[in-house]
Amino acid sequence: MLRDSPYSPAHERRRFAADVMQKAVAQGGLTLVIEGLAGMGKTFLLREIGAAARESSTWAASFVNADEIEQGESYSFIERLAASGLFGDWDFEPDHTTQPIPVARECLRRVRESELDGAVVLIDDAQWVDKESQRVLRYVVPRIRRRHVLLACAVRTPHEEDSFGKVLTELVADNSYDLVQLLAPLTVDQIRAFAADRLGTGVSVRTGERLLKATSGSFLRLDAILNQLTPDEVSRMHLTWDLPIRAVHEGENPLLHAFRALSAPARATTEIVCLGGHEMSRADLAAVAALLGEEIELAEPSAAGVLSESGFGATVIPRHALVAQAIRETIEADRIRSVSRALSTITSGYRSVRHALGGSAEWTDELDKQVRYYVAEALDRGSFDNASDVLRTVLSLVSDLPARQELLTSLALVHIRAKTGYLILDLAEEYETLPDSALREFILIVLAAHQVGQEFPRNRVMELLARPAENPDDRVISAFLSFFVVIMAMRTEDPSVVPFLIDHARKLFEQCPSDPSELSDARLGWMVAPGEYLVLLDAYRVVHDQRMLAFEEMAAALPELHQRIEALPDGPMKVDALVAVAGAELALGHFEDGLRLARWSVKLLDRVAEPWAAGTTRLILADCLVIRGDYAEASALIDLSEEVAFDVLDVETRPAFAALRGFIAAVRGNGDPGRHLEQARLQYQIAWEAYGADLAVLAECEAARAAGDAEAVLAASSGPFVDRLNNTRRGFLTYRANALIELGELDEAAALIEDLDQWHGVRWQEYWGSLAWLRARLAHARGDSTIARRQYDVAVAAGGMALPRALTLADFGSFLIEQGATEDGRRALTQAVTLLEGIGAGAYLARIRCELDSSEDNPRHPGAHLLASLTERERQIVDQLADGRSNNQIAESMVISVATVRSHVSNVLRKLRLTSRGEVARLLREAEPSD
């Protein structure tokens, strides 16, 4: 998913390049210094500036690269610059008598006498410019300002003292016409945006952090890693939780430059701070150094920008997390162990355990006790990530087979409990080697369920469920597995087996122990909650009934189910049950009940463990807010949801959130819905139907309607994906009916409206516009003003959601003005404008305000408000008709088919209440008289 901000770094740099080019042309020249560490994408930005020059101006672009091996050759860079053609046909050949100033003056003369409209000079690796050429450029740079030259220099940092890069930066920084652009290491957010831009789908925060660690924030390294992904891997990204990161082999990490230059004592102190991994007090740092027999040296690494002191020197921390990571990777293993042992004595909890493990070369009984105690405590607190990290670290120390198998089992149970089984897929082969048991089979089935592109192992499941449960542990495992299988079956194209599976799971839970103390393996205790599972299974039956369109059964089950859910203790299963009934209430048209339950479930998320439907929980509330017109609150919730959307199990919510973003951007009219809709279309590739399966279709319809493109609405609301939709509220059909009326397809519109009448309250809801509104518009289009007025009165009196209510009022206002009730019409239009302003629906405001203004400015010309009601495309047709153009001529000029033109012309004549195209020019003259 893509937020409105931040954009992909590549997108931001293209936009910056275009802005720089525009500014250079506007002010007659500009000098830009691009600085940053190696690998930050300086060359990419230079090339984007060159591309912007070619696309937006007549300024000729020259790309010149300084070379490190020529740094000792006098004037070697000026020779390269001359060879680029910037100075015409100058054949520059320096000798031992050549002096910098005459050369600089000759460069300036040739630039002044050039016949070019302007020049773009792109210099890469300017830090390697030879000394004599530097002197020439120091003279030239201040003197070519405002001479139609854009000089862009990329310089590697950190700058050496008196280096050319430092001089350039100082020259430019002192002038308001020029720019210095620092390219810093990419952040996690920028990496995620970059990946989304390249892959067409987002990645999780966890994956962003892994990419940051692998690349040190390098633009080029990140680009290289993404380039290594195969087409098959990219095609499955929207259904997975991670991406493969293959090593990119490069030389020395540029982040280590300042660290390498430190003295040995300063490096030793820096190593302690970086291995600490957190802000350290001076007292703790001194204690660790004393245990190691070292002195602390802080002044030097602080001055070099490697470490940073805060709290008036009371604490120390690495200046940047990426620098700390790079430094840790250079430290020898023996040094890491000795520092870690010392750090474990001054820390507590998770940090102490991690340092103790880092300080050990082998697994000991003492470490075993420490880890067992910590993991149990962490799980009680819900700190699953910390527990997993500790167990993963222990695996690197343990070689004893029984002990390792026990650790693997503990790790699997942690992730199954946390609903993050996908994070141990890398260990799947080792889990196959565990001794045969019900628990082993259960773990392997869960892992198989997370393998994207692989068939769910139904036979393995049935074999395990058929095993006799000889003890309470096996009964708990079988019951939980049966519950898990219900969830998997609901996420398939054919859910017909779900009722049988629910019944089977209920029987198993009824046979389960109700007290965790009855189990021999305490690690399974979290699975013991038979009463809660029985409620959730019944909630899932309601979800299945909804998918099968069994609305009567669903409605009958809800009252009792509400009471049972309210009686549940606050926890993840209560959230999952609330999500199920919230979706059911919305499907039945009980919007306020659905909204209340959705708010309740999201509120619980802040204080309970992760539910199975963590993404859907937030999606339902966000959808309700969009339907109601609370776009600001919905956007804030979507921002939050996107932070976790690629970590949750319900992967189908990812394109659904993108669809809501696209919908909001289209309604507001101040963003680009296209990039969100591109991700939303991934919903078409998901085989099963979940909540909001048609949100991508709705967003496409809204974007088309907001743009005034009724034909695009028809295209979006039809096709193979739409044909197979079953469990939806069919809001897109409201858009389709309106589009058919717009295009004059009145018989088809009438048939569709009759279908909606039959489905009303069950298979179709009025969240996106009322039946009365559609009937009023249809009657108006057919010229039946009596029925139109009656239906408009019904529609306006009924109220409804903010956006469709505003559009209903706008249509009613237009109708009233056309009927001669100008004041009443203006009142309705004013109400529409007020509603649209209140929800920020900028895409519709201009047209309705225009119509409101025309009804006041042109009271004697009833055609004015009719013209104001046309879409942008229809108005273009009107202008061409007024000029006497034929259908063929209009089609050619607008690059559309003749059939499309005929449809538009028919629609325009109907809206303007004209009988022939020859009347258009007369109406235009009367309604919009020239000055």
Side-chain angles (χ1 to χ4, degrees), residues 381-590:
R381 295 195 313 269
S383 300
F384 301 118
D385 286 346
N386 286 354
S388 170
D389 183 56
V390 166
L391 291 170
R392 280 266 190 180
T393 306
V394 171
L395 282 173
S396 66
L397 295 174
V398 175
S399 57
D400 177 69
L401 186 58
R404 187 172 181 84
Q405 291 172 343
E406 191 73 6
L407 286 165
L408 283 166
T409 302
S410 294
L411 180 64
L413 289 172
V414 166
H415 282 286
I416 294 172
R417 182 177 178 180
K419 285 91 172 175
T420 53
Y422 52 85
L423 292 178
I424 53 172
L425 290 176
D426 60 308
L427 299 171
E429 290 185 6
E430 193 167 2
Y431 278 109
E432 289 279 4
T433 67
L434 295 179
D436 182 50
S437 69
L439 184 53
R440 167 189 179 268
E441 287 301 296
F442 167 61
I443 291 170
L444 290 173
I445 289 168
V446 172
L447 292 185
H450 289 90
Q451 295 276 13
V452 175
Q454 293 189 16
E455 188 175 351
F456 186 67
R458 296 179 184 275
N459 292 337
R460 199 166 198 166
V461 170
M462 301 314 296
E463 289 174 8
L464 179 55
L465 292 177
R467 282 190 183 188
E470 299 175 351
N471 54 60
D473 291 37
D474 286 353
R475 287 199 293 274
V476 166
I477 291 171
S478 294
F480 186 83
L481 175 61
S482 68
F483 168 77
F484 184 76
V485 171
V486 168
I487 294 176
M488 292 298 103
M490 292 170 67
R491 297 162 66 83
T492 61
E493 290 183 83
D494 179 15
S496 58
V497 72
V498 168
F500 164 78
L501 294 173
I502 289 176
D503 290 339
H504 184 69
R506 285 185 60 85
K507 291 176 183 177
L508 293 178
F509 276 111
E510 287 167 355
Q511 299 168 8
C512 273
S514 58
D515 189 339
S517 64
E518 298 179 46
L519 303 177
S520 60
D521 190 340
R523 295 174 299 180
L524 303 176
W526 59 273
M527 297 184 190
V528 178
E532 295 176 48
Y533 282 110
L534 290 173
V535 174
L536 185 50
L537 286 168
D538 287 344
Y540 285 165
R541 192 186 299 275
V542 165
V543 174
H544 177 74
D545 287 342
Q546 179 184 340
R547 185 169 179 181
M548 296 293 103
L549 307 181
F551 294 107
E552 291 184 8
E553 292 89 337
M554 182 173 68
L558 282 175
E560 181 189 354
L561 192 54
H562 276 297
Q563 295 177 7
R564 294 169 63 199
I565 292 172
E566 289 183 16
L568 290 177
D570 288 350
M573 280 189 279
K574 186 169 187 171
V575 174
D576 283 323
L578 286 170
V579 169
V581 295
E585 295 288 10
L586 291 168
L588 291 172
H590 306 154

Side-chain angles (χ1 to χ4, degrees), residues 128-141:
W128 303 133
V129 172
D130 63 273
K131 293 296 183 183
E132 286 73 15
S133 296
Q134 286 183 29
R135 293 179 63 188
V136 172
L137 292 174
R138 288 188 189 194
Y139 186 91
V140 168
V141 169

Side-chain angles (χ1 to χ4, degrees), residues 644-682:
V644 298
F646 290 85
D647 289 317
V648 297
L649 282 176
D650 37 355
V651 296
E652 65 276 7
T653 61
R654 300 171 186 176
F657 279 122
L660 291 180
R661 275 207 182 279
F663 188 102
I664 294 170
V667 172
R668 284 179 164 172
N670 59 358
D672 174 19
R675 61 198 188 97
H676 302 301
L677 295 178
E678 183 178 351
Q679 290 199 9
R681 292 183 193 110
L682 293 173

Side-chain angles (χ1 to χ4, degrees), residues 68 150 260 321 389 435 559 564 629 839:
E68 185 177 9
L150 166 56
R260 296 292 196 198
D389 183 56
R564 294 169 63 199
I839 62 175

Side-chain angles (χ1 to χ4, degrees), residues 615-765:
T616 306
T617 305
R618 298 180 177 93
L619 176 64
I620 293 179
L621 179 55
D623 186 32
C624 288
L625 294 172
V626 169
I627 291 172
R628 203 169 69 169
D630 293 335
Y631 303 130
E633 186 181 352
S635 295
L637 178 59
I638 295 169
D639 285 347
L640 173 64
S641 302
E642 286 182 341
E643 294 299 319
V644 298
F646 290 85
D647 289 317
V648 297
L649 282 176
D650 37 355
V651 296
E652 65 276 7
T653 61
R654 300 171 186 176
F657 279 122
L660 291 180
R661 275 207 182 279
F663 188 102
I664 294 170
V667 172
R668 284 179 164 172
N670 59 358
D672 174 19
R675 61 198 188 97
H676 302 301
L677 295 178
E678 183 178 351
Q679 290 199 9
R681 292 183 193 110
L682 293 173
Q683 196 169 48
Y684 303 158
Q685 301 175 24
I686 295 175
W688 65 92
E689 279 193 24
Y691 180 88
D694 62 349
L695 285 177
V697 179
L698 271 167
E700 295 261 22
C701 288
E702 175 55 40
R705 182 177 71 178
D709 192 343
E711 289 182 331
V713 173
L714 295 187
S717 59
S718 62
F721 177 76
V722 173
D723 291 342
R724 69 177 172 87
L725 284 171
N726 189 46
N727 172 30
T728 83
R729 296 164 306 213
R730 291 176 171 75
F732 57 86
L733 292 181
T734 308
Y735 286 84
R736 185 173 184 83
N738 271 315
L740 289 169
I741 295 170
E742 289 284 339
L743 294 171
E745 302 291 341
L746 303 186
D747 290 341
E748 187 178 347
L752 176 55
I753 292 170
E754 287 309 306
D755 287 340
L756 298 183
D757 189 17
Q758 296 296 315
W759 298 339
H760 184 211
V762 184
R763 298 182 64 185
W764 174 77
Q765 301 297 341

